[in-house]
C-alpha cells in the first residue's frame, strides 16, 4: 500500500444554484518568477576536478557549528545547458538562514564532453564523497545529513544513496561511498526505464539514452547500475514531494516509484502538495518548499 500525505484541500465556493463549479486552475510559478529574483551567493566553492562543472558551492550558516548539512543536487534533465547548480541558490540561501549548511554539487551534463555514462554519475559520486573530505574544513556535521534533489537531481540524489549496492564490476563502483540515510526527491525521475518509455515526461526520452549510453559487452544492461529501482532496497528513508499540477514530471512517476520502493522493503512516502507545479518545488515561500523544509528539519534531528 502506497503511503502518501496530502497537505491541504483547496477550498471551493459553491454557487447559489447548487451546481458544482469547475475546479479553478491554480496560477503556477514560471522559471522567470524564480530566476529573476535577486540571486544570493554561496560562501565558498570547491573544485573536485578540472572541468568547469566539477564544482561544489558551500553555503555556511552564521555561528560556530558544527552545522547539519543538506547535500543538494540540481535538475535540468541531466543537461548543463538547461540548468546548473545556481538554480538551487534561493533555497540554499533559505536553508543557510535557518542554520543548515548546504553542499550544492554540480556535474557534467549529457551535453558536455565527459558527460553521460559514466561521467555524469561519476561526477555526482565524487562531489558527494568530497563532503566527507572537507567536512572539518567547513565545520559540517555529516552525522546529520540529508540529500535533496530536484527533478533529474531527484534521480541522482536517490542514486547516490544506492551507490553502496553497486557491484564491483560496475564502472560506477567506489569502495567507500558517502553513506546517505535519508533522501528527499522533489519532482524527481528516479526510474530511468520508465522515463525512457514515457514521452509525456518534460525531459523527453532521448536524453535518457544519452545519460545511460549504449549497451556494450562490458555493460549489457544499461539500467542495472543507473536506474534507482534496479538497486532497491536502498536502506534509506525516502520522501517524495510532488505537485499534481507539475507539467514536467508526470504524477504517476512518483506513485509508481513509491510502490516499488515499498514493495522492496524501503520506507518511502509521497507528499502531495496542492496548487504546485515544478518551479514551486525549489522556490522559497511556497507550500511545497515549506513541506520540504519540514522534512529536512525532521531528518536532521
Amino acid at each position: 500500500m502506497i503511503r502518501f500525505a496530502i497537505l491541504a484541500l483547496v477550498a471551493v465556493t459553491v454557487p447559489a444554484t447548487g451546481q458544482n463549479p469547475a475546479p479553478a486552475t491554480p496560477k503556477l510559478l514560471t522559471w522567470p518568477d524564480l530566476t529573476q529574483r535577486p540571486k544570493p551567493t554561496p560562501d565558498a566553492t570547491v573544485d573536485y576536478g578540472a572541468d568547469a562543472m566539477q564544482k561544489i558551492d558551500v553555503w555556511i550558516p552564521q555561528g560556530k557549528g558544527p552545522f547539519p548539512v543538506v547535500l543538494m543536487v540540481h535538475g535540468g534533465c541531466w543537461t548543463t545547458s538547461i540548468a546548473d547548480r545556481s538554480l538551487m541558490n534561493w533555497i540554499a540561501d533559505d536553508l543557510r538562514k535557518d542554520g543548515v549548511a548546504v553542499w550544492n554539487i554540480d556535474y557534467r551534463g549529457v551535453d558536455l564532453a565527459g558527460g553521460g555514462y559514466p561521467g555524469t554519475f561519476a561526477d555526482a559520486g565524487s562531489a558527494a564523497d568530497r563532503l566527507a573530505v572537507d567536512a572539518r574544513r567547513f565545520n559540517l556535521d555529516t552525522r546529520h545529513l540529508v540529500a535533496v534533489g530536484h527533478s533529474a537531481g531527484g534521480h541522482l540524489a536517490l542514486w547516490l544513496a544506492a551507490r553502496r549496492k553497486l557491484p564491483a564490476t560496475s564502472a560506477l563502483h567506489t569502495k567507500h561511498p558517502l553513506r546517505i540515510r535519508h533522501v528527499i526527491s522533489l519532482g524527481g525521475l528516479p526510474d530511468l526505464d520508465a522515463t525512457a518509455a514515457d514521452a509525456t515526461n518534460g525531459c523527453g526520452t532521448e536524453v535518457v539514452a544519452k545519460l545511460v549510453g549504449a549497451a556494450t559487452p562490458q555493460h549489457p544492461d544499461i539500467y542495472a547500475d543507473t536506474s534507482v529501482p534496479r538497486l532497491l532496497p536502498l536502506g534509506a528513508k525516502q520522501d517524495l514531494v510532488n505537485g499534481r499540477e507539475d507539467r514536467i514530471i508526470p504524477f504517476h512517476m512518483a506513485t509508481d516509484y513509491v510502490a516499488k520502493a515499498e514493495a522492496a522493503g524501503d520506507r518511502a512516502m509521497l507528499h502531495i502538495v496542492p496548487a504546485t507545479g515544478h518551479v514551486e518545488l525549489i522556490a522559497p515561500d511556497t507550500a511545497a518548499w515549506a513541506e520540504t523544509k519540514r522534512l529536512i528539519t525532521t531528518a536532521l534531528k
Side-chain angles (χ1 to χ4, degrees):
M1 180 178 180
I2 299 175
R3 295 188 301 149
F4 64 91
I6 300 177
L7 299 191
L9 296 176
V10 179
V12 177
T13 301
V14 179
T17 60
Q19 297 178 351
N20 291 328
T25 301
K27 186 179 184 303
L28 303 177
L29 293 179
T30 64
W31 287 117
D33 290 333
L34 175 65
T35 60
Q36 290 180 2
R37 302 180 188 188
K39 182 181 287 188
T41 57
D43 297 283
T45 298
V46 173
D47 297 331
Y48 67 90
D51 192 90
M53 301 312 299
Q54 292 176 319
K55 296 185 183 295
I56 304 148
D57 285 340
V58 190
W59 301 71
I60 308 171
Q62 293 184 350
K64 295 181 179 180
F67 304 105
V69 59
V70 164
L71 169 60
M72 190 170 283
V73 192
H74 73 84
C77 299
W78 306 278
T79 304
T80 301
S81 62
I82 294 177
D84 61 22
R85 66 189 184 280
S86 68
L87 188 61
M88 311 296 272
N89 281 25
W90 291 273
I91 57 172
D93 179 57
D94 192 56
L95 289 171
R96 176 174 61 181
K97 290 175 180 176
D98 281 354
V100 177
V102 177
W103 190 257
N104 186 21
I105 72 170
D106 223 328
Y107 48 88
R108 290 170 294 176
V110 299
D111 53 335
L112 296 182
Y117 185 93
T120 297
F121 295 91
D123 281 2
S126 294
D129 291 342
R130 186 63 182 262
L131 173 56
V133 175
D134 284 350
R136 181 173 295 182
R137 172 186 172 190
F138 295 111
N139 208 10
L140 308 179
D141 183 0
T142 57
R143 296 171 302 174
H144 295 86
L145 167 70
V146 60
V148 177
H150 175 244
S151 196
H155 157 259
L156 288 173
L158 288 162
W159 178 84
L160 287 170
R163 272 194 309 156
R164 62 191 182 87
K165 300 192 69 178
L166 295 175
T169 54
S170 169
L172 306 178
H173 174 79
T174 55
K175 288 186 177 180
H176 302 291
L178 179 73
R179 182 65 186 268
I180 298 171
R181 292 180 169 84
H182 196 143
V183 183
I184 302 173
S185 170
L186 311 178
L189 291 155
D191 191 333
L192 296 184
D193 302 72
T195 304
D198 189 344
T200 66
N201 86 81
C203 289
T205 58
E206 293 182 359
V207 70
V208 179
K210 295 178 181 179
L211 177 66
V212 299
T216 66
Q218 296 75 29
H219 191 226
D221 186 347
I222 56 178
Y223 297 116
D225 56 354
T226 59
S227 187
V228 179
R230 297 289 194 94
L231 299 167
L232 292 169
L234 307 189
K237 185 176 181 181
Q238 300 154 59
D239 286 295
L240 281 72
V241 181
N242 287 74
R244 285 192 179 275
E245 292 78 18
D246 192 331
R247 297 296 177 257
I248 305 296
I249 307 302
F251 188 73
H252 67 83
M253 289 189 171
T255 55
D256 291 351
Y257 174 77
V258 169
K260 291 178 180 179
E262 289 199 324
D266 273 342
R267 294 180 298 161
M269 186 168 187
L270 174 59
H271 305 260
I272 305 169
V273 188
T276 292
H278 206 55
V279 182
E280 284 83 358
L281 296 168
I282 56 170
D285 305 320
T286 64
W289 181 239
E291 172 64 1
T292 300
K293 284 182 68 176
R294 183 189 70 80
L295 294 170
I296 291 171
T297 299
T298 302
L300 292 177
K301 287 180 179 178

